[in-house]
Amino acid sequence: MFQLTTMMTRSSKSCSVLPLLLRFNNYSSSSSFPELKFTANQPSPDSGNSISSGKVFKGQRPINSMVAAVFDSLKGENSQIKTPQTDSKLVEATTVGELLTVTDGNGVSRRHALKVVSILADWSSTGKVKLSDFETDPRFLRLCRILSKQSSAVAKTSRNISHGEDLSTILNITAEDEAAKMVTGLTLSQMVKVMSALSSKKRRSILLLRSLAYNITGSSELLNLKEAGDLLYSMSTLNFPDENLLSRIAADTCSELENAGSELEKIARKSSVVGSILTSVGLLRYKNPALLDALSEWMIKNQGLCRPQDIFSLFLTLAVLNYLPTNAEKLFQLFLPQLTPSEAGKSSVWLEVVWSLVLLNKATDEHISSILDPMFLKQLEGYTAMSARLKLLNIEGAASYLQEGYTGPRLPLDSRIREAKYAPTKEKEEIVAAVLDTLRNLIQSEKLVRTRVDTGLGFFIDAECLLDKKCSPLPLEQIELNTDARRVAIMVYDYHDMCRGRAEPTGVNAFAANLLQAQGYRIVTIPYTEFKPRDKLIHRVQYLEAKLKDIVA
């Protein structure tokens, strides 16, 4: 049985395979990207979008109403706005007088006024200066008038925009909170247009995006298919996966697909809309069974309208999300014959198609041999993306352990493709390190555990050990000698290894587990949703011990 002891944490690396999903269709609501990739970056506000919090000002007496209003308006203002002509001067300022020299001259921009008042707010809140030192200064009052005047103008513009006069005004406003407030006056279609414009400009304004997501989700209007496609496209390109908005889009899309009206019939003749929705859903790793079933059913009913690239998008998305729709048998029967190298055109596209079939366990010997054929591998020599090499290793793994009776070509033993290794993200390294630290308190000897085991099949095992029926660790070399030995692979799943919508492993992680099981491993999966690195050590040890006992029972 395990012995509990406390050991120091050691850092360790792990690896996960991040799949590449091509945007095969040419459909785009605002801009066109030939290829989009899954990123390892978890959604987070950009530093340039940071919003200063409201300050508490220390003073000896009450401030007048205008000054109070301006200070109050600073809550949420973006104090990080760049003003190249005055930034150095303002940074070097040490007194109120030096700061207020910005008002010298005929014109003072809102940017300058906002920067100065923000600095004064900081100084006042930290006690460096008193409010009485500047609240009656004519130069400071001038800045207050500029800011209050602009706020009134924004409110007036918001009323105009609600009538659809100038949507571009929102995108031209520098202060994020002002633009976000104006969203409430827009119609649903206008909000979709603003989101598309942000995507086209690659402007990831978190505060504005959150306001759009909140107001679109709460709108009583129904999104049509094109609007749903526009939103999903924008969310994928901006890496903004708001789950409430995703749920709303999924519900409206299902409703539109089920209740085919005249408008839908017009859109249905542009299968690129459905293809784009499928691609974006895959890129966002959004696993919604009802949505995927509805899209698959639409593809079957409208098979004559579907382009090859739309069919490719369907299978890639299903593979990435590890999902087989309710009509899977009919779907594969109908569309598998249409998946051919000639339809794919490029060798890199055909690799993606076959890889998706391998993950879905629908690849034939002919599919796999077409990829591992020496002539095809030679065509891919110029396509050296790491994700492509890892996919080739995945397919080699399927040929070795999952494709029963396969006798076709294989990757040469000396192929440089076998050297491909994917570097883990920082977040993945941190959670793996915490798991290994916990494991060392259960298995004391490092000789009884292997870490970061390269399978040679496009992924790593985070930790490997050998346990008997009583869950006691054994030397790893006894695997052939001890019939009671259980070969255990510990696989850690971070945020990027899991789907959204449903906290389940992505297709490539589920495939890796299948490969390991075929080799005789018992798999212990540790998702980030269950394991908290900052939990007390005793809780982490109890969690991991229960997992190990369960797997060898």
Side-chain angles (χ1 to χ4, degrees):
M1 190 60 63
F2 296 118
Q3 295 182 359
L4 180 61
T5 179
T6 303
M7 302 182 67
M8 297 182 65
T9 302
R10 302 184 183 183
S11 62
S12 175
K13 296 183 178 181
S14 67
C15 179
S16 62
V17 182
L18 298 182
L20 166 70
L21 185 65
L22 299 179
R23 187 172 287 280
F24 291 108
N25 49 305
N26 296 321
Y27 168 77
S28 167
S29 59
S30 53
S31 60
S32 179
F33 294 86
E35 176 177 301
L36 294 174
K37 297 182 179 180
F38 282 103
T39 65
N41 300 322
Q42 188 171 344
S44 59
D46 298 339
S47 59
N49 290 329
S50 59
I51 309 298
S52 65
S53 59
K55 304 294 182 181
V56 178
F57 302 94
K58 299 178 181 180
Q60 302 300 318
R61 54 196 176 89
I63 34 182
N64 64 62
S65 59
M66 181 176 70
V67 175
V70 170
F71 275 145
D72 186 62
S73 71
L74 280 178
K75 296 176 181 179
E77 285 280 12
N78 188 344
S79 59
Q80 304 298 321
I81 295 173
K82 303 296 182 183
T83 52
Q85 297 180 352
T86 60
D87 276 348
S88 59
K89 180 180 178 181
L90 295 178
V91 170
E92 295 170 0
T94 57
T95 66
V96 172
E98 291 176 356
L99 273 180
L100 294 179
T101 56
V102 74
T103 62
D104 296 343
N106 296 326
V108 180
S109 69
R110 174 172 175 76
R111 290 186 177 186
H112 296 166
L114 179 60
K115 190 76 174 179
V116 172
V117 176
S118 296
I119 293 174
L120 288 174
D122 287 329
W123 287 2
S124 179
S125 66
T126 58
K128 182 177 180 179
V129 298
K130 296 179 180 179
L131 193 59
S132 57
D133 294 340
F134 58 85
E135 72 166 329
T136 58
D137 191 306
R139 296 171 296 176
F140 174 70
L141 294 177
R142 181 185 179 192
L143 299 178
C144 290
R145 283 192 292 271
I146 292 172
L147 293 174
S148 60
K149 183 185 298 183
Q150 290 288 340
S151 297
S152 299
V154 168
K156 182 178 180 181
T157 304
S158 179
R159 289 192 294 272
N160 291 336
I161 288 180
S162 66
H163 293 86
E165 293 183 7
D166 186 14
L167 288 175
S168 63
T169 305
I170 289 181
L171 299 175
N172 293 330
I173 293 177
T174 303
E176 289 188 2
D177 67 325
E178 293 180 353
K181 291 174 184 177
M182 295 168 65
V183 169
T184 57
L186 301 180
T187 65
L188 180 62
S189 61
Q190 289 171 339
M191 288 188 283
V192 173
K193 289 178 182 177
V194 172
M195 183 84 89
S196 297
L198 289 173
S199 170
S200 178
K201 296 175 181 290
K202 295 184 176 63
R203 179 177 169 184
R204 194 168 180 268
S205 172
I206 295 299
L207 190 59
L208 181 53
L209 287 170
R210 285 176 178 166
S211 179
L212 285 166
Y214 176 81
N215 284 280
I216 292 173
T217 302
S219 174
S220 59
E221 299 179 61
L222 187 70
L223 291 164
N224 60 42
L225 279 186
K226 183 178 183 306
E227 289 170 339
D230 288 347
L231 287 174
L232 289 170
Y233 181 89
S234 300
M235 295 170 77
S236 66
T237 55
L238 293 171
N239 192 22
F240 181 71
D242 184 277
E243 294 223 16
N244 289 328
L245 182 54
L246 286 172
S247 180
R248 165 65 194 272
I249 294 171
D252 286 5
T253 300
C254 290
S255 178
E256 282 282 274
L257 292 173
E258 291 171 3
N259 304 304
S262 59
E263 183 64 24
L264 177 60
E265 290 171 2
K266 294 178 183 178
I267 297 175
R269 301 204 171 275
K270 299 179 180 178
S271 65
S272 56
V273 179
V274 171
S276 178
I277 290 175
L278 281 165
T279 301
S280 297
V281 167
L283 289 168
L284 290 164
R285 307 195 316 275
Y286 180 54
K287 190 171 185 176
N288 185 306
L291 175 62
L292 294 170
D293 285 345
L295 290 167
S296 300
E297 189 62 32
W298 184 93
M299 296 280 283
I300 289 177
K301 290 181 179 179
N302 297 275
Q303 55 181 294
L305 304 175
C306 296
R307 305 170 304 168
Q309 53 262 52
D310 302 324
I311 300 172
F312 295 162
S313 293
L314 171 65
F315 286 110
L316 278 169
T317 293
L318 293 177
V320 167
L321 300 177
N322 188 34
Y323 183 74
L324 290 176
T326 54
N327 59 0
E329 184 177 351
K330 186 175 182 181
L331 189 74
F332 287 107
Q333 181 182 3
L334 182 65
F335 288 124
L336 268 182
Q338 300 183 42
L339 302 179
T340 63
S342 60
E343 290 289 359
K346 296 181 180 179
S347 56
S348 57
V349 174
W350 181 238
L351 170 62
E352 299 290 330
V353 172
V354 173
W355 176 78
S356 68
L357 294 177
V358 165
L359 264 58
L360 292 168
N361 197 27
K362 294 296 180 181
T364 63
D365 288 0
E366 289 72 20
H367 287 132
I368 292 178
S369 62
S370 70
I371 297 296
L372 300 181
D373 182 87
M375 294 298 294
F376 183 83
L377 294 175
K378 189 173 182 179
Q379 294 176 20
L380 281 175
E381 286 181 354
Y383 186 57
T384 57
M386 177 61 69
S387 60
R389 285 183 277 173
L390 294 175
K391 287 182 176 69
L392 287 170
L393 291 177
N394 288 165
I395 295 172
E396 169 68 14
S400 301
Y401 300 103
L402 300 180
Q403 207 73 14
E404 188 175 349
Y406 177 77
T407 58
R410 304 287 290 275
L411 274 180
L413 294 176
D414 60 349
S415 173
R416 296 188 62 182
I417 295 173
R418 293 183 180 274
E419 301 172 4
K421 294 177 178 61
Y422 197 92
T425 63
K426 181 180 179 181
E427 293 81 7
K428 181 67 174 279
E429 286 183 325
E430 289 175 355
I431 188 172
V432 169
V435 170
L436 295 179
D437 175 57
T438 306
L439 184 62
R440 292 187 188 102
N441 284 271
L442 291 171
I443 303 177
Q444 300 177 26
S445 174
E446 292 187 7
K447 295 181 180 179
L448 301 177
V449 179
R450 288 197 192 103
T451 60
R452 191 168 167 77
V453 181
D454 187 359
T455 63
L457 304 175
F459 62 93
F460 284 85
I461 299 174
D462 295 308
E464 178 186 358
C465 59
L466 201 63
L467 304 175
D468 63 16
K469 289 182 178 180
K470 296 181 180 180
C471 212
S472 298
L474 301 170
L476 290 163
E477 59 271 15
Q478 289 189 12
I479 182 63
E480 302 294 339
L481 305 176
N482 194 327
T483 57
D484 291 336
R486 269 75 167 164
R487 197 178 182 190
V488 177
I490 297 176
M491 305 295 286
V492 182
Y493 296 152
D494 75 345
Y495 174 80
H496 300 285
D497 298 323
M498 305 282 282
C499 297
R500 298 186 178 96
R502 284 194 171 190
E504 298 172 354
T506 59
V508 70
N509 286 288
F511 170 76
N514 290 338
L515 277 179
L516 291 176
Q517 287 175 342
Q519 297 176 64
Y521 282 96
R522 299 196 178 193
I523 315 299
V524 174
T525 58
I526 303 182
Y528 79 99
T529 53
E530 295 178 2
F531 184 87
K532 306 299 179 185
R534 291 180 177 80
D535 275 356
K536 291 182 179 179
L537 178 60
I538 186 65
H539 294 157
R540 287 187 278 131
V541 169
Q542 290 172 348
Y543 167 84
L544 186 55
E545 184 177 21
K547 282 269 191 175
L548 291 171
K549 285 182 176 180
D550 182 64
I551 202 66
V552 301

